[in-house]
Amino acid sequence: MTTTTTEFGIVYAVHIIASHFGSVASKVCECLLRRGPLSSRDLSRLTESDNINHNKVKDILCLLIQHNCVQAFSIEPPDGSSESKATVQYIALFSSIHHRVRFNKFSKAVNEELGSQCKGVLEGLLSNGRLTLQQLIDRDKEFKNSLGPEAIRDSLEKLVAARFVERVPSPEPVLGNKEDGPAKKRGAKASKIFKEPESLEERILEAATPVEAIRFPIIFEQDSSSALADDDSSNISEGKRKQPDADSSCPSSEVIWRPNFEELIRRLRHKACVEIVKERRDERCANVLKAMLEVGRSQEKKAKTDKSVPMSVDSIYDELIKTDAGREMTQGRVEECLEHLSATSSYLPAFVIKTDESYIVDFKSIISVAQKDEMESVVMRRYGKEAFRMFRYLSQEDRFVETDKIADAALTEKKDTPQVLLKMWKDGYLHMQKLAVTGVYMPFLLWKVNKPIVSRQILDEMYHASLNLSLRFIHEADSEKELLLLPVEKLEGALKERRNKYRVKSVLLTSARFKIDDAIMLFHDF
């Protein structure tokens, strides 16, 4: 289990796979999630007790790769010899599996930006995993109100230009030995710039991802992308040259496309940041931040970046006046909003960092405000108002504080304070430290919020809650299976009432899952 996964995160991921692809696929996926990368032979051996043979394992791996839930890779032999063949291994992509419950959110984001036709094309890729342009056209023909080949082509072009869709990664990247990675970068300057990826999954995804020009090619200006691939082959790093160029010489109709989850999550993250600023500041500040996000988006290398690139007031204002709301603001008002956004207070950090002549969006600061609100909300529901005040005070102090000071700051009875703090400590929400003092029989107790541990624990609880809601939804659907087969217009009396009750329950359960998933993204994806 990696640092980004939790126990119930894995259980929920396995449940998602079981719901979408069946119990056999979920057993193979669970094996990968719990044990890490494995070869198909090792997977077959480990799933023998479930009567899953080797051929079935290979079929399931192909299915999960098709739907972007698993990535194949191999590691360069230690001796570096071409005669030693590297073993192909498979890794489950934890985040990509969880993205499957966010398809509606992704579709909505694309619909808002590019319209319903692009939304329809994206939904085809989301439901099928990976498709060529021709397959998208063939799929469109099956619908009563088909868009037609030209509309599908134009929509795909827009999706690629906006980076909502990307060319599929290398099917089997070859990773160099980790200890040899930095040695391949020559020169002192290069060694300073080079940064080792944090996990094996990140190394694999980095190695599988082609350079930008191949990942998002302008395929619609020519029939073949081979020239483009040849022109950019010199830009591929040494680690990526060893992988085959997936579809590099195929006609544009044969290029295989898939949804770009990284960009889709980035858009949801930006939207969340704007909403946080709107709630904590005002709508004008939110509009200014939105313009800043548009200016800096193309420079963001990862969806989960801490800070944006620096940007000038002029560039922000130029972007802002492209919108109706922005045209109502003068440049002076924009500068006022930037001053508000870069100001700090006792209860709010700065959302924007001001430098000499430019401004930087502090994503980490904005997201931390929403995370703190979510933590405090959980503490309030679980332990009550007194615990909430204590937790908020300790969270703001961000250091060890003795019991009596906490009682004074939180306006609670000193005799009751230790019991409340002990409850939160037992559940892992607080750190406790005993301080022995000479001549005093009882040691002083010091308390502190351990934010990383609390964040991880709350994330795990949210995965658990989302799993329970999903299971309840399935139970409700199964209990009314026969009723749901009947035409709605023919239902009367008690049957119609039952159907209406089921619909209300479904809406409530779906809404609750939707909101919990928003909170999960705050702690895991944003």
Side-chain angles (χ1 to χ4, degrees):
M1 190 187 298
T2 68
T3 55
T4 59
T5 63
T6 69
E7 174 58 29
F8 276 109
I10 290 174
V11 175
Y12 186 36
V14 172
H15 167 74
I16 292 168
I17 294 296
S19 300
H20 293 191
F21 306 114
S23 60
V24 178
S26 72
K27 287 170 185 174
V28 172
C29 189
E30 182 172 16
C31 204
L32 289 172
L33 285 166
R34 293 196 178 279
R35 294 178 177 268
L38 294 167
S39 67
S40 60
R41 288 289 175 191
D42 287 338
L43 268 171
S44 300
R45 179 175 53 80
L46 292 166
T47 54
E48 273 180 349
S49 59
D50 295 310
N51 297 317
I52 307 173
N53 61 40
H54 184 59
N55 287 333
K56 186 65 175 175
V57 166
K58 289 198 292 185
D59 289 343
I60 289 167
L61 288 171
C62 287
L63 172 70
L64 295 177
I65 288 170
Q66 168 71 23
H67 287 273
N68 310 303
C69 298
V70 165
Q71 173 68 49
F73 72 100
S74 56
I75 297 177
E76 190 179 65
D79 57 5
S81 170
S82 58
E83 296 176 4
S84 305
K85 191 176 180 182
T87 303
V88 178
Q89 298 183 65
Y90 300 87
I91 185 170
L93 304 177
F94 179 83
S95 295
S96 295
I97 293 169
H98 283 274
H99 290 334
R100 296 192 64 80
V101 300
R102 297 171 185 140
F103 285 179
N104 286 340
K105 293 178 181 178
F106 296 156
S107 295
K108 185 180 177 182
V110 168
N111 186 52
E112 288 174 356
E113 185 168 332
L114 300 178
S116 59
Q117 290 189 354
C118 289
K119 174 194 169 189
V121 173
L122 179 74
E123 286 175 344
L125 289 168
L126 289 170
S127 59
N128 291 278
R130 305 174 176 201
L131 294 172
T132 64
L133 173 58
Q134 188 57 53
Q135 286 172 327
L136 283 165
I137 291 169
D138 292 342
R139 174 182 174 275
D140 177 62
K141 291 175 183 175
E142 297 172 4
F143 294 98
K144 190 175 181 180
N145 299 318
S146 64
L147 300 175
E150 284 303 314
I152 295 293
R153 187 185 183 90
D154 291 344
S155 297
L156 181 59
E157 181 179 7
K158 289 176 184 175
L159 287 164
V160 173
R163 304 200 171 191
F164 287 128
V165 167
E166 64 181 352
R167 177 179 276 187
V168 294
S170 168
E172 188 191 310
V174 178
L175 270 63
N177 290 308
K178 191 173 181 180
E179 60 270 20
D180 297 335
K184 291 183 180 180
K185 303 284 179 177
R186 295 184 178 90
K189 188 176 179 182
S191 64
K192 286 180 184 178
I193 295 170
F194 178 74
K195 187 177 180 181
E196 192 72 27
E198 295 177 2
S199 66
L200 177 61
E201 182 176 332
E202 286 182 348
R203 290 180 66 211
I204 294 164
L205 294 177
E206 183 183 312
T209 304
V211 292
E212 293 290 291
I214 297 176
R215 188 181 179 190
F216 306 106
I218 309 172
I219 60 165
F220 304 93
E221 292 184 2
Q222 52 189 18
D223 289 335
S224 175
S225 59
S226 58
L228 179 64
D230 292 340
D231 289 343
D232 286 283
S233 61
S234 60
N235 295 326
I236 303 176
S237 64
E238 282 188 48
K240 289 177 183 174
R241 274 200 196 104
K242 294 176 183 175
Q243 70 191 41
D245 289 334
D247 310 307
S248 61
S249 59
C250 296
S252 60
S253 60
E254 295 303 315
V255 172
I256 304 173
W257 304 100
R258 72 171 190 175
N260 179 12
F261 290 142
E262 183 181 34
E263 185 63 32
L264 290 161
I265 285 292
R266 179 183 288 113
R267 300 302 172 96
L268 295 182
R269 188 187 196 222
H270 285 184
K271 188 176 180 180
C273 287
V274 171
E275 288 301 315
I276 293 165
V277 170
K278 184 178 179 180
E279 183 182 329
R280 291 305 186 125
R281 293 296 186 185
D282 57 41
E283 192 165 353
R284 285 191 300 177
C285 287
N287 289 333
V288 170
L289 181 80
K290 190 174 182 180
M292 294 179 78
L293 298 178
E294 290 292 333
V295 173
R297 180 182 292 148
S298 62
Q299 301 298 316
E300 288 182 37
K301 301 302 179 187
K302 290 184 177 181
K304 202 173 181 178
T305 186
D306 287 346
K307 292 178 175 66
S308 72
V309 295
M311 53 196 86
S312 66
V313 176
D314 289 340
S315 63
I316 297 167
Y317 190 63
D318 288 345
E319 182 63 40
L320 187 65
I321 59 176
K322 292 178 183 177
T323 64
D324 291 337
R327 282 190 283 271
E328 296 174 3
M329 296 176 68
T330 62
Q331 188 160 330
R333 282 194 173 182
V334 172
E335 290 173 359
E336 284 177 18
C337 288
L338 289 168
E339 289 298 321
H340 284 306
L341 289 168
S342 57
T344 58
S345 67
S346 58
Y347 63 94
L348 270 186
F351 293 152
V352 167
I353 300 167
K354 185 179 180 181
T355 59
D356 294 335
E357 294 294 331
S358 58
Y359 294 86
I360 297 167
V361 178
D362 191 341
F363 289 106
K364 190 174 182 179
S365 178
I366 297 170
I367 296 299
S368 70
V369 169
Q371 289 175 339
K372 180 172 167 288
D373 287 348
E374 192 63 39
M375 288 181 195
E376 291 175 356
S377 174
V378 171
V379 170
M380 170 76 92
R381 290 196 302 269
R382 181 165 293 183
Y383 305 105
K385 288 183 179 180
E386 289 187 346
F388 160 75
R389 291 198 298 269
M390 295 177 198
F391 186 87
R392 170 174 277 189
Y393 170 70
L394 287 170
S395 184
Q396 288 172 343
E397 290 295 307
D398 198 24
R399 63 182 177 86
F400 279 102
V401 182
E402 64 185 78
T403 309
D404 285 352
K405 283 187 178 178
I406 297 169
D408 292 338
L411 303 175
T412 56
E413 291 289 337
K414 289 188 177 181
K415 61 182 177 64
D416 298 329
T417 302
Q419 284 75 23
V420 177
L421 292 168
L422 277 168
K423 278 182 186 177
M424 290 193 281
W425 171 71
K426 285 177 181 177
D427 290 340
Y429 283 75
L430 298 178
H431 261 328
M432 180 179 68
Q433 196 176 80
K434 292 181 179 180
L435 184 64
V437 179
T438 307
V440 179
Y441 176 70
M442 288 291 289
F444 281 108
L445 296 180
L446 303 176
W447 310 87
K448 179 186 176 183
V449 173
N450 188 328
K451 290 178 183 177
I453 290 177
V454 173
S455 296
R456 183 178 172 82
Q457 184 158 324
I458 286 176
L459 178 63
D460 195 46
E461 290 170 1
M462 288 190 292
Y463 281 133
H464 193 186
S466 201
L467 171 65
N468 287 340
L469 286 168
S470 182
L471 290 171
R472 178 63 186 271
F473 185 89
I474 291 168
H475 169 74
E476 292 292 340
D478 286 344
S479 63
E480 299 289 4
K481 191 182 293 182
E482 293 179 1
L483 177 67
L484 295 174
L485 292 172
L486 300 173
V488 179
E489 61 274 7
K490 291 186 179 181
L491 296 179
E492 294 179 356
L495 287 178
K496 188 174 183 179
E497 189 176 338
R498 264 177 62 194
R499 180 63 185 254
N500 287 336
K501 283 183 179 179
Y502 169 77
R503 185 177 58 82
V504 170
K505 285 181 184 178
S506 298
V507 170
L508 288 172
L509 288 169
T510 302
S511 177
R513 279 183 69 191
F514 197 89
K515 288 177 181 177
I516 289 177
D517 186 62
D518 284 344
I520 287 172
M521 287 193 290
L522 268 179
F523 287 91
H524 185 267
D525 301 282
F526 294 172

